[in-house]
Amino acid sequence: MKLAPVSQWLGRLSAVCLALGAGSAFAAYPDRSITLVVPFAAGGPTDKVARDLGEVLRKHLNNTTIIVENVGGAGGTLGATRVAKSSPDGYTLLLHHLGIATAPALYRNLPYKTLDDFEYIGMINDVPMTLIGRPTLPAANFAELRKWIDGNKGKINLANAGLGAASHLCGLLFQQAMGVDMTTVPYKGTAPAMTDILGGQVDLMCDQTTNTSSQIESGRVRAYAVTSAKPLTTPALSKLPTLESQGLKGFNVTIWHGLYAPHGTPKAIIDQLNTALRAALKEPEFIKREESLGAVVITDERLSPAEHKKFVAAEIAKWGPVIKAAGQYAD
Ligand code: ASP
């Protein structure tokens, strides 16, 4: 009998290991660094969540290196496209937010399908937003801002992170509620937008507390309101009124972040990532950091892949008609 060469046997053995799946004793996922795509600029709120999460997540993934790659532009759709079209091997992941659910209503030719082209790993946090202004704005509180807006119609600009960003949705609803059109100024993320708010180049911005709370606390920006239904308890933000309490009936925008992999990533890898995510979200250093920035770490059923996908489907159904009613879209 002729024996097969050793290389052939090794090849067969690794095929068996693959067939047994990533959760088996043979599997070594992850055995190299993982790229975590953030669809916005470095230094912004989504980027901060990714970097803080990466630090604790890696501990539960064989201490593997997690490389954050910022692919900003087009309201988060460029980064999401990059992951949707990546190899489904567990080594390219996406950390995105509400924008993954608003993009289908905003883009006529979105290069991916939010519900079909990703595997859902789980949700990370809920994050309220704040309405802030350049430090030189001559309005100290919301009542004064309202008067200033009335007196400056046609001249006001509003920063956002592009069509489909959370800042875009929040700003859109704010303009609608106020009955005022503002000139929107899109950036690749709200980190560069914040630089221009601080420098006085743009007037207003609606952004996550994870980006604004330290600037509000140090008095470097004007802070007018929180966009959530209830006031916040975080010390830096607890004095801010809700927009609802200022007469903007029903105003409630709270966003969230989640973790995704390209469609077709093996279930064993998704399960392993979900287990690691659940463990990471219990790390006290991560919880403390999120709380200090006004965010709430997820502990409910939205942490499971299936429930998170259901939640995103519900968000698509919730925001789609609102966006369509506002007549906003892009090709
Ligand atoms: N906060 C941004 C948004 O408006 C994105 C970011 O820079 O993280 O969606």
Side-chain angles (χ1 to χ4, degrees):
M1 188 179 83
K2 205 170 163 243
L3 284 178
V6 173
S7 59
Q8 239 180 61
W9 282 105
L10 286 176
R12 278 178 205 163
L13 181 64
S14 61
V16 170
C17 292
L18 275 177
L20 284 170
S24 77
F26 293 99
Y29 173 80
D31 65 357
R32 59 187 160 92
S33 59
I34 293 174
T35 297
L36 180 56
V37 173
V38 168
F40 297 104
T46 311
D47 179 72
K48 277 183 206 152
V49 173
R51 285 171 203 272
D52 291 342
L53 180 72
E55 280 302 302
V56 283
L57 191 62
R58 66 187 297 264
K59 289 203 239 167
H60 304 281
L61 290 169
N62 307 336
N63 272 322
T64 201
T65 302
I66 295 181
I67 301 164
V68 173
E69 187 184 324
N70 298 91
V71 184
T77 58
L78 297 186
T81 303
R82 149 111 165 78
V83 176
K85 310 236 178 279
S86 290
S87 164
D89 55 8
Y91 290 98
T92 307
L93 306 178
L94 172 71
L95 193 150
H96 204 345
H97 63 22
L98 165 96
I100 201 168
T102 56
L106 285 163
Y107 288 84
R108 281 177 171 159
N109 294 310
L110 196 62
Y112 55 86
K113 288 200 175 74
T114 291
L115 293 175
D116 298 339
D117 292 348
F118 297 98
E119 301 295 338
Y120 286 64
I121 298 166
M123 195 150 146
I124 301 164
N125 58 11
D126 280 313
V127 195
M129 301 186 84
T130 45
L131 178 67
I132 62 163
R134 61 176 159 85
T136 45
L137 257 188
N141 52 43
F142 191 80
E144 289 180 20
L145 179 70
R146 192 185 275 267
K147 279 191 204 135
W148 180 81
I149 288 175
D150 279 346
N152 286 278
K153 284 189 180 150
K155 287 189 251 166
I156 302 167
N157 54 45
L158 179 68
N160 70 27
L163 203 71
S167 47
H168 164 260
L169 177 73
C170 187
L172 179 69
L173 298 181
F174 180 64
Q175 291 175 80
Q176 258 190 347
M178 296 288 289
V180 177
D181 279 339
M182 300 180 186
T183 305
T184 48
V185 186
Y187 294 82
K188 284 193 172 173
T190 45
M194 179 64 90
T195 305
D196 279 4
I197 287 270
L198 291 168
Q201 282 92 346
V202 277
D203 298 318
L204 295 168
M205 176 164 74
C206 203
D207 199 20
Q208 282 106 300
T209 58
T210 38
N211 197 31
T212 61
S213 55
S214 62
Q215 307 292 0
I216 292 173
E217 196 168 17
S218 62
R220 295 176 72 208
V221 294
R222 294 284 204 188
Y224 296 111
V226 292
T227 65
S228 48
K230 289 191 184 138
L232 305 177
T233 51
T234 314
L237 308 166
S238 61
K239 290 197 192 82
L240 293 178
T242 62
L243 283 173
E244 157 105 63
S245 73
Q246 299 303 297
L248 276 62
K249 233 173 151 265
F251 203 103
N252 181 12
V253 183
T254 295
I255 75 136
W256 41 268
H257 292 97
L259 206 55
Y260 313 90
H263 176 71
T265 305
K267 184 175 179 309
I269 290 181
I270 297 299
D271 289 346
Q272 199 182 338
L273 286 165
N274 180 264
T275 303
L277 177 64
R278 285 171 188 269
L281 298 187
K282 286 197 180 120
E283 293 279 353
E285 60 182 289
F286 184 71
I287 296 173
K288 225 173 120 192
R289 171 106 177 112
E290 289 295 291
E291 279 175 0
S292 72
L293 297 173
V296 179
V297 172
I298 298 299
T299 53
D300 59 34
E301 69 278 1
R302 291 171 297 170
L303 253 175
S304 85
E307 286 299 321
H308 183 44
K309 189 171 182 179
K310 247 196 233 169
F311 173 77
V312 173
E315 288 284 274
I316 293 173
K318 172 180 166 181
W319 293 113
V322 176
I323 291 164
K324 289 210 168 106
Q328 292 264 321
Y329 61 84
D331 286 326

